[in-house]
Amino acid sequence: QLRTGADVPTPSRCHRRHFRAKSVYPALRCSTMEGLCTVPKITVALPTPFDEDQVDVPGLERMAGWVKEQGVNSVIAAGTTGEFAGMTFAERVLVLEATRRGLGVDGFLFANVSACCVDDAVQLARDAVRSNARPDALLLLPPFYHAPFSPAINAAGVEAFFRKFFNRLPRRFEADCAPGAERRVPPVFLYTFAWHTQQPISAEVYGRLCAEFPGRIAGVKASGMGLEQAQQFSLAAPGRAVLVGNGRINLDVLKAGLHVVSGDGVPVCWALRLANQAHVHP
């Protein structure tokens, strides 16, 4: 059984019900379109450590801080690697705020607001924006679970989901800190990971949504796909960031001018930083 203070990964929520393990974990920027955001070249998706049945908040803070110490200043909290689907809304906010404390105010923090219900996704966005985490960007998957009936029906449904989300997502949310105060809603990254969701986001759908909602979509997180497929997103919406999640092609991704996002990169995030410096910024 892993013990607090060990420099090893932590079984997260779905695993903890079986293993009941205890554990904790002990700036690179590039521009997207003007007015959207500046996203780092390397992003790491953090696992969520648990102590018995509770989020290990001190461990999560140490993990985020350790990643920053290695020179990687951009993280995803409670994403796929963090097993968001096994958390309550309150736990997802807790994870987000703990990650911000560990990362610091100058780090780039993605808030995953993915949910199958549009109103739940909007509520998660509201919770994230009004929290003390102050995320730099939101991240949103298409609805997941059901296999598509056909590529055409899938594309139409995915596009309708995101269109409804953006139509319901306000530009600002009222802040809790002071009556009448407001907080701007950060830009959104669409998130495609068909291996898990069964619902891909096509480059064509992505391009149409970027054109329809200018200033709201900063890019896409494209996981589990090859370089040529990922490059189609750059062609569909030039100037926006494409974060590619495929550890087998990290160097090729960097050489092509795209961004790397790693779901298994926490222990070797320092190597991702060095790869970026060596192959992109020698």
Side-chain angles (χ1 to χ4, degrees):
Q1 188 178 45
L2 303 177
R3 295 188 179 277
T4 300
D7 291 329
V8 290
T10 310
S12 46
R13 186 183 199 110
C14 293
H15 298 306
R16 75 176 190 261
R17 292 174 176 166
H18 302 289
F19 296 104
R20 286 301 195 193
K22 294 183 178 180
S23 64
V24 298
Y25 286 83
L28 305 154
R29 299 209 168 220
C30 91
S31 297
T32 63
M33 290 187 65
E34 183 179 356
L36 288 175
C37 66
T38 302
V39 60
K41 201 69 173 179
I42 305 292
T43 296
V44 170
L46 300 182
T48 305
F50 281 85
D51 186 352
E52 295 299 334
D53 205 39
Q54 303 295 322
V55 175
D56 183 356
V57 171
L60 180 55
E61 292 175 357
R62 285 195 292 273
M63 188 201 317
W66 185 84
V67 167
K68 183 179 179 180
E69 289 173 0
Q70 310 314 304
V72 174
N73 205 29
S74 175
V75 301
I76 298 171
T80 300
T81 300
E83 295 184 283
F84 71 92
M87 297 183 197
T88 65
F89 282 17
E91 284 177 321
R92 290 169 72 168
V93 173
L94 179 66
V95 167
L96 195 62
E97 292 182 330
T99 303
R100 171 59 79 192
R101 289 193 296 273
L103 187 64
V105 296
D106 58 335
F108 196 99
L109 178 60
F110 287 87
N112 176 31
V113 299
S114 297
C116 288
C117 173
V118 172
D119 287 340
D120 282 349
V122 173
Q123 179 63 53
L124 286 163
R126 179 182 296 109
D127 292 346
V129 171
R130 298 176 70 182
S131 74
N132 291 326
R134 303 298 291 268
D136 299 281
L138 306 181
L139 190 64
L140 181 61
L141 285 162
F144 38 91
Y145 180 72
H146 289 292
F149 292 101
S150 72
I153 292 175
N154 167 79
V158 166
E159 187 169 352
F161 172 84
F162 283 110
R163 181 173 293 109
K164 186 176 292 186
F165 171 79
F166 284 111
N167 284 332
R168 294 185 184 180
L169 183 70
R171 297 280 181 170
R172 295 179 179 273
F173 284 117
E174 183 178 350
D176 290 331
C177 55
E182 292 183 329
R183 288 186 178 176
R184 182 183 64 86
V185 175
V188 179
F189 281 74
L190 306 192
Y191 182 8
T192 181
F193 201 172
W195 193 83
H196 282 302
T197 66
Q198 301 194 78
Q199 303 290 347
I201 303 171
S202 70
E204 292 77 15
V205 166
Y206 169 70
R208 285 197 296 270
L209 289 169
C210 287
E212 185 174 348
F213 299 99
R216 307 221 72 181
I217 302 175
V220 61
K221 180 179 184 288
S223 295
M225 64 178 58
L227 180 58
E228 291 185 5
Q229 188 177 0
Q231 288 175 318
Q232 294 303 309
F233 289 95
S234 289
L235 297 174
R240 290 173 172 81
V242 178
L243 285 68
V244 184
N246 184 343
R248 295 181 177 88
I249 59 171
N250 283 340
L251 292 182
D252 293 335
V253 167
L254 292 172
K255 291 177 181 179
L258 305 183
H259 297 60
V260 164
V261 57
S262 177
D264 53 7
V266 169
V268 294
C269 56
W270 55 270
L272 295 174
R273 174 181 57 82
L274 292 176
N276 182 58
Q277 291 177 336
H279 293 275
V280 181
H281 305 293

Short mmCIF file of all heavy atoms in Angstrom, two decimals, residues 170-212:
data_model
loop_
_atom_site.label_atom_id
_atom_site.label_comp_id
_atom_site.label_asym_id
_atom_site.label_seq_id
_atom_site.Cartn_x
_atom_site.Cartn_y
_atom_site.Cartn_z
N PRO A 170 -23.02 32.35 -20.39
CA PRO A 170 -22.88 33.82 -20.43
C PRO A 170 -21.42 34.23 -20.56
O PRO A 170 -20.51 33.42 -20.39
CB PRO A 170 -23.45 34.25 -19.07
CG PRO A 170 -23.25 33.06 -18.19
CD PRO A 170 -23.40 31.85 -19.06
N ARG A 171 -21.23 35.48 -20.87
CA ARG A 171 -19.86 36.01 -20.96
C ARG A 171 -19.26 36.23 -19.59
O ARG A 171 -18.05 36.21 -19.41
CB ARG A 171 -19.87 37.34 -21.73
CG ARG A 171 -20.33 37.23 -23.16
CD ARG A 171 -19.23 36.73 -24.06
NE ARG A 171 -19.65 36.63 -25.45
CZ ARG A 171 -18.82 36.41 -26.45
NH1 ARG A 171 -17.53 36.25 -26.22
NH2 ARG A 171 -19.27 36.31 -27.69
N ARG A 172 -20.12 36.46 -18.59
CA ARG A 172 -19.67 36.70 -17.23
C ARG A 172 -20.62 36.03 -16.25
O ARG A 172 -21.81 35.86 -16.53
CB ARG A 172 -19.60 38.21 -16.92
CG ARG A 172 -18.56 38.95 -17.75
CD ARG A 172 -18.55 40.45 -17.43
NE ARG A 172 -17.54 41.13 -18.21
CZ ARG A 172 -16.26 41.27 -17.85
NH1 ARG A 172 -15.86 40.74 -16.70
NH2 ARG A 172 -15.41 41.90 -18.62
N PHE A 173 -20.07 35.68 -15.08
CA PHE A 173 -20.87 35.17 -13.98
C PHE A 173 -20.72 36.12 -12.80
O PHE A 173 -19.64 36.70 -12.58
CB PHE A 173 -20.42 33.77 -13.55
CG PHE A 173 -20.84 32.67 -14.48
CD1 PHE A 173 -19.88 31.91 -15.15
CD2 PHE A 173 -22.17 32.37 -14.68
CE1 PHE A 173 -20.25 30.89 -16.00
CE2 PHE A 173 -22.55 31.35 -15.53
CZ PHE A 173 -21.59 30.60 -16.20
N GLU A 174 -21.79 36.26 -12.03
CA GLU A 174 -21.70 37.06 -10.82
C GLU A 174 -20.74 36.39 -9.84
O GLU A 174 -20.78 35.17 -9.64
CB GLU A 174 -23.07 37.22 -10.18
CG GLU A 174 -23.07 38.11 -8.94
CD GLU A 174 -24.45 38.29 -8.35
OE1 GLU A 174 -25.42 37.88 -9.03
OE2 GLU A 174 -24.56 38.83 -7.24
N ALA A 175 -19.86 37.16 -9.23
CA ALA A 175 -18.86 36.63 -8.31
C ALA A 175 -19.45 36.53 -6.90
O ALA A 175 -20.35 37.28 -6.52
CB ALA A 175 -17.62 37.50 -8.30
N ASP A 176 -18.89 35.58 -6.13
CA ASP A 176 -19.31 35.44 -4.74
C ASP A 176 -18.63 36.45 -3.83
O ASP A 176 -19.10 36.72 -2.73
CB ASP A 176 -18.99 34.03 -4.24
CG ASP A 176 -19.88 32.98 -4.89
OD1 ASP A 176 -21.01 33.32 -5.24
OD2 ASP A 176 -19.44 31.82 -5.02
N CYS A 177 -17.50 37.00 -4.29
CA CYS A 177 -16.65 37.79 -3.39
C CYS A 177 -17.28 39.12 -2.99
O CYS A 177 -17.03 39.61 -1.89
CB CYS A 177 -15.29 38.04 -4.05
SG CYS A 177 -15.39 38.81 -5.68
N ALA A 178 -18.11 39.69 -3.88
CA ALA A 178 -18.70 40.99 -3.56
C ALA A 178 -19.99 41.16 -4.35
O ALA A 178 -20.07 40.78 -5.51
CB ALA A 178 -17.73 42.13 -3.89
N PRO A 179 -21.02 41.75 -3.73
CA PRO A 179 -22.28 41.97 -4.44
C PRO A 179 -22.07 42.84 -5.68
O PRO A 179 -21.41 43.87 -5.63
CB PRO A 179 -23.14 42.70 -3.39
CG PRO A 179 -22.53 42.33 -2.07
CD PRO A 179 -21.07 42.19 -2.32
N GLY A 180 -22.61 42.39 -6.79
CA GLY A 180 -22.50 43.14 -8.02
C GLY A 180 -21.22 42.89 -8.80
O GLY A 180 -21.12 43.32 -9.95
N ALA A 181 -20.26 42.22 -8.19
CA ALA A 181 -19.00 41.93 -8.89
C ALA A 181 -19.21 40.80 -9.87
O ALA A 181 -20.05 39.91 -9.67
CB ALA A 181 -17.91 41.56 -7.89
N GLU A 182 -18.47 40.83 -10.97
CA GLU A 182 -18.60 39.81 -12.00
C GLU A 182 -17.23 39.26 -12.37
O GLU A 182 -16.21 39.94 -12.20
CB GLU A 182 -19.27 40.38 -13.26
CG GLU A 182 -20.72 40.76 -13.06
CD GLU A 182 -21.34 41.24 -14.35
OE1 GLU A 182 -20.60 41.83 -15.18
OE2 GLU A 182 -22.54 41.03 -14.55
N ARG A 183 -17.23 38.04 -12.87
CA ARG A 183 -16.01 37.41 -13.36
C ARG A 183 -16.21 36.96 -14.80
O ARG A 183 -17.23 36.35 -15.14
CB ARG A 183 -15.62 36.21 -12.50
CG ARG A 183 -15.08 36.60 -11.13
CD ARG A 183 -14.58 35.39 -10.37
NE ARG A 183 -14.03 35.77 -9.07
CZ ARG A 183 -13.60 34.89 -8.17
NH1 ARG A 183 -13.67 33.59 -8.42
NH2 ARG A 183 -13.11 35.31 -7.03
N ARG A 184 -15.24 37.28 -15.60
CA ARG A 184 -15.30 36.92 -17.02
C ARG A 184 -15.15 35.43 -17.20
O ARG A 184 -14.34 34.78 -16.55
CB ARG A 184 -14.19 37.65 -17.79
CG ARG A 184 -14.19 37.39 -19.28
CD ARG A 184 -13.02 38.07 -19.95
NE ARG A 184 -11.76 37.52 -19.48
CZ ARG A 184 -11.19 36.43 -20.01
NH1 ARG A 184 -11.78 35.78 -21.02
NH2 ARG A 184 -10.04 35.99 -19.55
N VAL A 185 -15.93 34.86 -18.09
CA VAL A 185 -15.81 33.45 -18.42
C VAL A 185 -14.62 33.27 -19.37
O VAL A 185 -14.57 33.93 -20.41
CB VAL A 185 -17.10 32.92 -19.09
CG1 VAL A 185 -16.92 31.47 -19.54
CG2 VAL A 185 -18.27 33.03 -18.11
N PRO A 186 -13.66 32.43 -19.01
CA PRO A 186 -12.48 32.27 -19.88
C PRO A 186 -12.84 31.54 -21.17
O PRO A 186 -13.92 30.96 -21.28
CB PRO A 186 -11.52 31.45 -19.02
CG PRO A 186 -12.41 30.68 -18.10
CD PRO A 186 -13.58 31.58 -17.82
N PRO A 187 -11.95 31.56 -22.14
CA PRO A 187 -12.21 30.85 -23.40
C PRO A 187 -12.29 29.34 -23.18
O PRO A 187 -11.80 28.80 -22.19
CB PRO A 187 -11.03 31.24 -24.29
CG PRO A 187 -9.97 31.67 -23.34
CD PRO A 187 -10.66 32.27 -22.17
N VAL A 188 -12.89 28.68 -24.15
CA VAL A 188 -13.16 27.24 -24.05
C VAL A 188 -12.30 26.48 -25.06
O VAL A 188 -12.11 26.92 -26.20
CB VAL A 188 -14.65 26.95 -24.32
CG1 VAL A 188 -14.94 25.45 -24.26
CG2 VAL A 188 -15.52 27.71 -23.32
N PHE A 189 -11.78 25.34 -24.62
CA PHE A 189 -11.15 24.39 -25.52
C PHE A 189 -12.10 23.20 -25.68
O PHE A 189 -12.52 22.59 -24.69
CB PHE A 189 -9.82 23.89 -24.94
CG PHE A 189 -8.67 24.84 -25.13
CD1 PHE A 189 -8.58 25.98 -24.36
CD2 PHE A 189 -7.69 24.59 -26.08
CE1 PHE A 189 -7.53 26.88 -24.54
CE2 PHE A 189 -6.64 25.47 -26.26
CZ PHE A 189 -6.56 26.61 -25.49
N LEU A 190 -12.46 22.90 -26.92
CA LEU A 190 -13.21 21.66 -27.16
C LEU A 190 -12.27 20.49 -26.95
O LEU A 190 -11.05 20.60 -27.11
CB LEU A 190 -13.78 21.66 -28.58
CG LEU A 190 -14.64 22.84 -29.00
CD1 LEU A 190 -15.37 22.52 -30.31
CD2 LEU A 190 -15.61 23.26 -27.92
N TYR A 191 -12.83 19.36 -26.58
CA TYR A 191 -12.03 18.21 -26.17
C TYR A 191 -12.57 16.98 -26.88
O TYR A 191 -13.70 16.56 -26.64
CB TYR A 191 -12.11 18.08 -24.65
CG TYR A 191 -11.31 16.97 -24.03
CD1 TYR A 191 -10.40 16.20 -24.73
CD2 TYR A 191 -11.47 16.68 -22.66
CE1 TYR A 191 -9.67 15.19 -24.13
CE2 TYR A 191 -10.75 15.68 -22.05
CZ TYR A 191 -9.85 14.94 -22.78
OH TYR A 191 -9.14 13.93 -22.18
N THR A 192 -11.77 16.42 -27.77
CA THR A 192 -12.18 15.20 -28.47
C THR A 192 -11.30 14.04 -28.04
O THR A 192 -10.07 14.13 -28.06
CB THR A 192 -12.15 15.40 -29.99
OG1 THR A 192 -12.57 14.19 -30.64
CG2 THR A 192 -10.77 15.79 -30.50
N PHE A 193 -11.94 12.96 -27.63
CA PHE A 193 -11.23 11.76 -27.19
C PHE A 193 -12.17 10.57 -27.45
O PHE A 193 -12.75 10.00 -26.53
CB PHE A 193 -10.87 11.85 -25.71
CG PHE A 193 -9.75 10.93 -25.28
CD1 PHE A 193 -9.21 11.04 -24.01
CD2 PHE A 193 -9.22 9.97 -26.13
CE1 PHE A 193 -8.17 10.22 -23.60
CE2 PHE A 193 -8.19 9.13 -25.74
CZ PHE A 193 -7.66 9.26 -24.47
N ALA A 194 -12.32 10.24 -28.72
CA ALA A 194 -13.35 9.28 -29.14
C ALA A 194 -13.15 7.90 -28.54
O ALA A 194 -14.11 7.14 -28.39
CB ALA A 194 -13.39 9.19 -30.66
N TRP A 195 -11.90 7.56 -28.21
CA TRP A 195 -11.64 6.23 -27.65
C TRP A 195 -12.42 6.04 -26.35
O TRP A 195 -12.88 4.94 -26.04
CB TRP A 195 -10.15 6.07 -27.39
CG TRP A 195 -9.74 4.67 -27.11
CD1 TRP A 195 -9.47 3.68 -28.02
CD2 TRP A 195 -9.57 4.06 -25.82
NE1 TRP A 195 -9.13 2.51 -27.38
CE2 TRP A 195 -9.19 2.72 -26.03
CE3 TRP A 195 -9.70 4.52 -24.51
CZ2 TRP A 195 -8.93 1.84 -24.98
CZ3 TRP A 195 -9.45 3.65 -23.46
CH2 TRP A 195 -9.07 2.33 -23.70
N HIS A 196 -12.59 7.11 -25.60
CA HIS A 196 -13.34 7.05 -24.34
C HIS A 196 -14.80 7.43 -24.51
O HIS A 196 -15.68 6.82 -23.92
CB HIS A 196 -12.70 7.97 -23.29
CG HIS A 196 -11.47 7.41 -22.67
ND1 HIS A 196 -11.44 6.21 -21.99
CD2 HIS A 196 -10.20 7.89 -22.61
CE1 HIS A 196 -10.22 5.97 -21.54
NE2 HIS A 196 -9.44 6.98 -21.91
N THR A 197 -15.07 8.48 -25.29
CA THR A 197 -16.43 9.00 -25.34
C THR A 197 -17.32 8.34 -26.39
O THR A 197 -18.53 8.41 -26.29
CB THR A 197 -16.41 10.51 -25.65
OG1 THR A 197 -15.89 10.70 -26.98
CG2 THR A 197 -15.53 11.26 -24.65
N GLN A 198 -16.70 7.74 -27.41
CA GLN A 198 -17.37 7.19 -28.58
C GLN A 198 -17.95 8.28 -29.49
O GLN A 198 -18.58 7.98 -30.49
CB GLN A 198 -18.49 6.21 -28.21
CG GLN A 198 -18.01 5.01 -27.38
CD GLN A 198 -19.03 3.92 -27.30
OE1 GLN A 198 -19.20 3.15 -28.24
NE2 GLN A 198 -19.72 3.85 -26.18
N GLN A 199 -17.75 9.54 -29.12
CA GLN A 199 -18.30 10.65 -29.89
C GLN A 199 -17.17 11.58 -30.32
O GLN A 199 -16.79 12.49 -29.57
CB GLN A 199 -19.31 11.43 -29.05
CG GLN A 199 -20.46 10.60 -28.51
CD GLN A 199 -21.42 10.16 -29.60
OE1 GLN A 199 -21.38 10.66 -30.71
NE2 GLN A 199 -22.29 9.23 -29.28
N PRO A 200 -16.60 11.40 -31.49
CA PRO A 200 -15.53 12.29 -31.94
C PRO A 200 -16.06 13.66 -32.33
O PRO A 200 -17.22 13.82 -32.70
CB PRO A 200 -14.95 11.57 -33.16
CG PRO A 200 -16.10 10.77 -33.70
CD PRO A 200 -16.89 10.34 -32.48
N ILE A 201 -15.19 14.66 -32.24
CA ILE A 201 -15.46 15.97 -32.80
C ILE A 201 -14.66 16.05 -34.10
O ILE A 201 -13.44 15.95 -34.09
CB ILE A 201 -15.01 17.10 -31.87
CG1 ILE A 201 -15.68 16.98 -30.50
CG2 ILE A 201 -15.31 18.47 -32.49
CD1 ILE A 201 -15.12 17.94 -29.46
N SER A 202 -15.32 16.18 -35.21
CA SER A 202 -14.62 16.26 -36.48
C SER A 202 -14.01 17.64 -36.66
O SER A 202 -14.45 18.63 -36.06
CB SER A 202 -15.57 15.96 -37.64
OG SER A 202 -16.51 17.02 -37.80
N ALA A 203 -12.98 17.72 -37.49
CA ALA A 203 -12.37 19.01 -37.79
C ALA A 203 -13.37 19.95 -38.44
O ALA A 203 -13.34 21.17 -38.22
CB ALA A 203 -11.15 18.81 -38.69
N GLU A 204 -14.28 19.41 -39.23
CA GLU A 204 -15.28 20.24 -39.91
C GLU A 204 -16.22 20.88 -38.89
O GLU A 204 -16.53 22.08 -38.97
CB GLU A 204 -16.06 19.41 -40.91
CG GLU A 204 -15.26 18.94 -42.11
CD GLU A 204 -14.35 17.75 -41.79
OE1 GLU A 204 -14.53 17.12 -40.71
OE2 GLU A 204 -13.44 17.48 -42.59
N VAL A 205 -16.70 20.09 -37.93
CA VAL A 205 -17.58 20.62 -36.88
C VAL A 205 -16.84 21.66 -36.05
O VAL A 205 -17.38 22.73 -35.74
CB VAL A 205 -18.11 19.48 -36.00
CG1 VAL A 205 -18.75 20.03 -34.73
CG2 VAL A 205 -19.12 18.64 -36.77
N TYR A 206 -15.60 21.36 -35.71
CA TYR A 206 -14.78 22.29 -34.94
C TYR A 206 -14.63 23.63 -35.67
O TYR A 206 -14.80 24.70 -35.08
CB TYR A 206 -13.42 21.65 -34.68
CG TYR A 206 -12.37 22.57 -34.11
CD1 TYR A 206 -12.46 23.06 -32.81
CD2 TYR A 206 -11.26 22.93 -34.88
CE1 TYR A 206 -11.47 23.89 -32.29
CE2 TYR A 206 -10.28 23.76 -34.36
CZ TYR A 206 -10.38 24.24 -33.08
OH TYR A 206 -9.41 25.06 -32.56
N GLY A 207 -14.33 23.57 -36.95
CA GLY A 207 -14.17 24.78 -37.72
C GLY A 207 -15.43 25.62 -37.78
O GLY A 207 -15.40 26.85 -37.66
N ARG A 208 -16.57 24.96 -37.96
CA ARG A 208 -17.84 25.70 -38.02
C ARG A 208 -18.15 26.36 -36.67
O ARG A 208 -18.62 27.50 -36.63
CB ARG A 208 -18.98 24.76 -38.43
CG ARG A 208 -18.97 24.40 -39.91
CD ARG A 208 -20.30 23.84 -40.33
NE ARG A 208 -20.61 22.57 -39.68
CZ ARG A 208 -20.27 21.38 -40.16
NH1 ARG A 208 -19.59 21.29 -41.30
NH2 ARG A 208 -20.61 20.27 -39.52
N LEU A 209 -17.90 25.65 -35.58
CA LEU A 209 -18.17 26.22 -34.26
C LEU A 209 -17.26 27.40 -33.96
O LEU A 209 -17.69 28.41 -33.39
CB LEU A 209 -18.01 25.14 -33.19
CG LEU A 209 -19.09 24.05 -33.18
CD1 LEU A 209 -18.69 22.90 -32.26
CD2 LEU A 209 -20.44 24.63 -32.74
N CYS A 210 -15.98 27.30 -34.36
CA CYS A 210 -15.06 28.41 -34.15
C CYS A 210 -15.52 29.65 -34.93
O CYS A 210 -15.42 30.79 -34.43
CB CYS A 210 -13.65 28.03 -34.59
SG CYS A 210 -12.81 26.88 -33.47
N ALA A 211 -16.04 29.44 -36.13
CA ALA A 211 -16.52 30.56 -36.94
C ALA A 211 -17.81 31.15 -36.37
O ALA A 211 -18.03 32.36 -36.42
CB ALA A 211 -16.75 30.09 -38.37
N GLU A 212 -18.64 30.29 -35.81
CA GLU A 212 -19.93 30.74 -35.28
C GLU A 212 -19.79 31.44 -33.94
O GLU A 212 -20.59 32.34 -33.62
CB GLU A 212 -20.88 29.54 -35.13
CG GLU A 212 -22.28 29.90 -34.70
CD GLU A 212 -23.22 28.71 -34.70
OE1 GLU A 212 -22.84 27.66 -35.25
OE2 GLU A 212 -24.33 28.84 -34.15
#
